[in-house]
Amino acid sequence: MSVLEVSDLVKHFPIYGGLLQRQVGAVRAVDCVSFTIARGETLGLVGESGCGKSTIGKTVLKLMEPTSGKIVLGGTDITALKPAAMWPHRKRIQTIFQDPYSSMNPRLSAGTIVGEPLENFGIAKGRERDERVARLFERVGLRPDAMRKYAHEFSGGQRQRLGIAKALSVSPDVIVADEPVSALDVSVQAQVLNLLIDLQEELGLAYLFISHDLAVMRHISHRIAVMYLGRIVELTDKRTLFSTPLHPYTEALLSAATAPDPKRRRKRRATVQGDVPSPANPPPGCHFHTRCPYAKAECKVTSPPLREVAPGHHVACLLR
Ligand code: SF4
């Protein structure tokens, strides 16, 4: 059963201009995106910078309001909930940041930082809170006596472990992880990813994992959604995506990533030219037609829907 269901999510940011500062357009950051995540599952959102993946994360976390669409968390429609009504549901969906340090008060001890949500949500305080925090430290691979240290005394990987402990403190069902390892060295990345996988197996957590890095996606995701200019263009399980990509943009992304096997490198010839168009003025029809090596006349006028072309394999391309 899905623990998070997102249907037809749209997020537009108005653009104002002219003497009267009227709305003259909109940045279409997220354009009708739908997906589900089951308990114990990781859905990866991958795409180039500016494709809308982080906006989806913030909207699902209710850090920004969607323009339209529906977000259902554990059976509760949270789309229109105001902050007070959302509060009891907040602990069910937590986040891990790319740079946890930026969200940590440098004047507070690490134990206080990790224990903050326990107090805020009225779950534990005083000695009980400290005991819970000590267990969380151990669970994420930190020594409990490090509770007395300050954030600047930890390494980047240890700070990310602190961020994970803080997110876990309120026993969430879903964690939105936005580029959580991209600032870390590769060896430390693997340790943090393995910790997240262990925690998922133990606690049944669902992850919405946002990254531009296909190697990271391959390590942690069960299914992967490829995004281009605010839309999902391909969604399938990890194995199928890497072995049988069907969307030309996915092909190009895989082609650009390091392919250790030279035969596969030869097979994947598709490359994309030019930059991603502006989401304030996306191309008509298929958004990808300006860069697609297979584009035909119809692609300039017809927007391909995301269709299931094989069990569990969804693609938005007129050729499929
Ligand atoms: Fe390329 Fe046309 Fe498919 Fe878009 S619909 S990805 S332009 S072939």
Side-chain angles (χ1 to χ4, degrees), residues 181-194 213 216 219:
V181 296
S182 57
L184 304 175
D185 292 341
V186 173
S187 60
V188 181
Q189 282 188 357
Q191 291 167 13
V192 172
L193 292 175
N194 289 338
D213 187 329
V216 167
H219 194 118

Side-chain angles (χ1 to χ4, degrees), residues 247-249 286 288-289 292 294-296 299 302 304 316-319:
H247 195 281
Y249 179 62
C286 173
F288 190 53
H289 83 254
C292 180
Y294 312 113
K296 49 187 184 156
C299 304
T302 305
C317 174
L318 297 175
L319 294 188

